[in-house]
Amino acid sequence: IAYTLSTTKRKIPEINDGKEYPAPFDRPNDLKIVLSYDLTKKLNVCATWVYMSAPPRTVPTGRMVIDSVLIVPVYSDRNSVRIDPYHRLDLSVNMELGSKGRSSLSVSIYNVYNRHNAYSITFKQDDESDYGTSAYRMYLFGIVPSVTYNFKF
């Protein structure tokens, strides 16, 4: 089990009215739990669970009209919003092949419960309202199975 509690702040006079704000890579909580068990001398199972706080974001909170024509987004304070935390579970089975351990086979599943962790979040004006904003989350991987054969020569 590994846990890190940390914070990273920035204070730049020209940004956020000179007030301190979380740095873009600030993730206060980072937890990793790894369980590994040898079923036999040649067969091992492993589970890894990862949890991280969401990074801070600056998000649009509304829109305003200037001169009855221009619609301009209004944003939150710098990096004042956290969306969803990141977490996933990975499982693997590892088998040593042959009598001298010169090769092995691993079968694993990344992100077993198919968590859609946000890689990026973009915002665009809502089509149904001039003042509304919609958020769109992009994620990279759902469940990713893999098979690996290793050999030594």
Side-chain angles (χ1 to χ4, degrees):
I1 296 174
Y3 177 72
T4 302
L5 175 63
S6 66
T7 188
T8 306
K9 303 281 186 184
R10 286 189 173 166
K11 187 174 183 179
I12 301 171
E14 296 81 16
I15 298 176
N16 204 38
D17 295 326
K19 296 182 288 187
E20 188 175 78
Y21 61 93
F25 43 85
D26 180 49
R27 288 189 181 240
N29 298 289
D30 187 334
L31 173 66
K32 292 178 179 71
I33 300 172
V34 178
L35 300 171
S36 180
Y37 185 73
D38 292 332
L39 295 173
T40 68
K41 280 180 135 182
K42 296 187 175 203
L43 187 63
N44 170 276
V45 293
C46 186
T48 303
W49 188 69
V50 177
Y51 173 90
M52 290 183 279
S53 300
R57 308 252 193 242
T58 303
V59 300
T61 57
R63 296 193 173 271
M64 68 179 172
V65 176
I66 298 176
D67 295 333
S68 301
V69 177
L70 184 59
I71 298 175
V72 179
V74 176
Y75 289 93
S76 64
D77 285 346
R78 176 65 68 120
N79 291 342
S80 64
V81 176
R82 294 186 190 266
I83 311 293
D84 292 328
Y86 176 100
H87 56 87
R88 71 169 203 272
L89 173 67
D90 304 334
L91 299 175
S92 67
V93 176
N94 308 294
M95 184 175 19
E96 189 177 299
L97 303 173
S99 61
K100 296 185 180 183
R102 300 196 49 87
S103 63
S104 64
L105 181 68
S106 297
V107 177
S108 62
I109 302 173
Y110 174 92
N111 196 12
V112 169
Y113 52 86
N114 199 27
R115 167 88 172 161
H116 293 176
N117 292 300
Y119 175 75
S120 71
I121 297 176
T122 57
F123 300 90
K124 77 172 206 173
Q125 183 173 332
D126 195 340
D127 294 335
E128 297 181 17
S129 167
D130 288 340
Y131 297 99
T133 302
S134 297
Y136 296 91
R137 178 190 315 202
M138 184 179 86
Y139 66 94
L140 294 179
F141 303 109
I143 296 172
V144 179
S146 70
V147 177
T148 306
Y149 176 72
N150 294 300
F151 59 93
K152 298 175 187 174
F153 58 93

